[in-house]
Amino acid sequence: GGLVLACCSSCDGFLLRHGLDFNSEHLPSIALAPKDYDIRHRVGSSRSCRLLVAFSPSSSSTFLDSAVSAKDLELQSQQLVESLLQKISQAGTDGTKIPQNQREDINQIVEQIENLMANDTKSSTLNMTTVPLDGTHELLYTDTPNTPQYIGPIKGRTTQKFINETTFQNILQAGPLQIKLTAERTIMDDSRIKLFFKGFDVIIFGAKVLQKKIDAKGVWKMVFVGEVENKYDISKTKPKESKILLRVMKTPNLYILAKYL
């Protein structure tokens, strides 16, 4: 009896799995946890898109080239990001239980965005890791084969809450059950962030029933970070017409999150 929490072999910094049989190869995912941490504990029974771009020209000519490059990058990324939000809206879910062709469409657009950023080598530097992050960010989509929003048949809601500039919590809320994974982040470069996972809490009806320390690390690669005027129905709790801070990242699995501004 009781609930068995375990990190599956394919975890990537977001997934925590549960089941009554720890040795099962097909336990459902329920929350956010580090890739290499093995938890074994029983508890009781866009119409427009603005990229955040910065560049340092070394001459007036370089400055002009940089400005043109940044503008071209903005226009191309605007089209791709709008297509991405449209595909997420059409999927109608966070990426769980969708047809493979829809998943491939979304992944293809993300690859195009990633290639666009990688090819911007003339003069502009896209810095996606120093953008200020605060408040609560909602998980819009993931391509992981596991399901971070479910506890068995019960669908939950996964969010990322920033406590301060370095500390955040990945949170799964499903009815009276809440699971919080606390981590700290440090900047590695313009596109990568290193994570240090500290511990997780299990809360039921507001009462903490489990607190466990974790010593694990991970790396997230930013694909896109920018403010977007969204016109698609991508959230079950927020209005369709809204401005969001969109974050697309690989952990290495794909995760897309948004903060409503």
Side-chain angles (χ1 to χ4, degrees):
L3 178 69
V4 179
L5 302 179
C7 188
C8 67
S9 59
S10 63
C11 286
D12 53 21
F14 265 90
L15 298 176
L16 184 68
R17 310 210 307 173
H18 92 293
L20 295 180
D21 178 10
F22 175 77
N23 295 317
S24 170
E25 295 296 326
H26 304 286
L27 301 178
S29 303
I30 59 173
L32 316 171
K35 178 177 182 180
D36 56 350
Y37 186 73
D38 188 9
I39 304 168
R40 306 184 183 211
H41 195 95
R42 289 181 180 270
V43 299
S45 32
S46 89
R47 280 169 303 185
S48 66
C49 167
R50 180 172 66 80
L51 279 176
L52 305 178
V53 178
F55 52 84
S56 300
S58 57
S59 67
S60 58
S61 175
T62 304
F63 179 84
L64 180 59
D65 291 341
S66 297
V68 172
S69 176
K71 182 63 175 178
D72 183 60
L73 176 65
E74 182 179 348
L75 292 175
Q76 292 182 61
S77 63
Q78 174 183 340
Q79 297 174 343
L80 288 172
V81 169
E82 183 166 346
S83 296
L84 178 62
L85 292 173
Q86 183 180 32
K87 291 296 184 181
I88 292 174
S89 175
Q90 291 172 350
T93 179
D94 50 41
T96 59
K97 303 180 180 180
I98 67 171
Q100 185 61 28
N101 64 318
Q102 286 185 307
R103 192 179 301 280
E104 290 174 355
D105 287 344
I106 291 174
N107 288 346
Q108 184 178 37
I109 295 173
V110 170
E111 290 301 320
Q112 290 176 324
I113 295 174
E114 188 171 22
N115 290 336
L116 179 64
M117 302 308 174
N119 290 332
D120 179 44
T121 58
K122 285 186 178 181
S123 55
S124 62
T125 301
L126 184 65
N127 191 330
M128 295 179 284
T129 56
T130 59
V131 176
L133 299 176
D134 57 16
T136 299
H137 298 237
E138 181 179 345
L139 177 63
L140 300 181
Y141 176 86
T142 176
D143 71 347
T144 175
N146 299 297
T147 54
Q149 303 268 53
Y150 283 86
I151 299 179
I154 302 175
K155 176 71 179 295
R157 178 171 177 258
T158 303
T159 57
Q160 191 173 78
K161 181 179 180 181
F162 288 86
I163 309 302
N164 52 46
E165 292 184 358
T166 60
T167 304
F168 67 92
Q169 291 179 323
N170 292 333
I171 302 172
L172 170 69
Q173 182 77 50
L177 174 64
Q178 186 178 76
I179 299 176
K180 296 182 178 181
L181 173 70
T182 301
E184 294 181 354
R185 64 191 186 107
T186 60
I187 296 173
M188 297 178 66
D189 52 38
D190 289 350
S191 63
R192 294 180 303 161
I193 293 176
K194 190 165 188 177
L195 287 303
F196 300 88
F197 299 96
K198 299 300 183 180
F200 73 93
D201 301 329
V202 178
I203 301 167
I204 301 177
F205 289 108
K208 187 181 296 185
V209 297
L210 173 65
Q211 186 175 42
K212 187 76 173 180
K213 289 186 177 180
I214 297 176
D215 183 15
K217 302 174 183 178
V219 174
W220 292 349
K221 183 177 185 252
M222 304 295 110
V223 175
F224 175 90
V225 179
E227 294 181 5
V228 179
E229 293 290 345
N230 172 56
K231 65 178 182 180
Y232 299 103
D233 188 13
I234 57 175
S235 173
K236 302 301 181 184
T237 61
K238 303 293 184 179
K240 182 168 64 174
E241 301 283 343
S242 54
K243 186 175 184 179
I244 62 175
L245 174 63
L246 184 68
R247 297 159 58 219
V248 181
M249 61 187 184
K250 292 184 175 180
T251 69
N253 287 110
L254 173 64
Y255 284 88
I256 302 175
L257 300 99
K259 177 190 175 185
Y260 288 79
L261 303 174

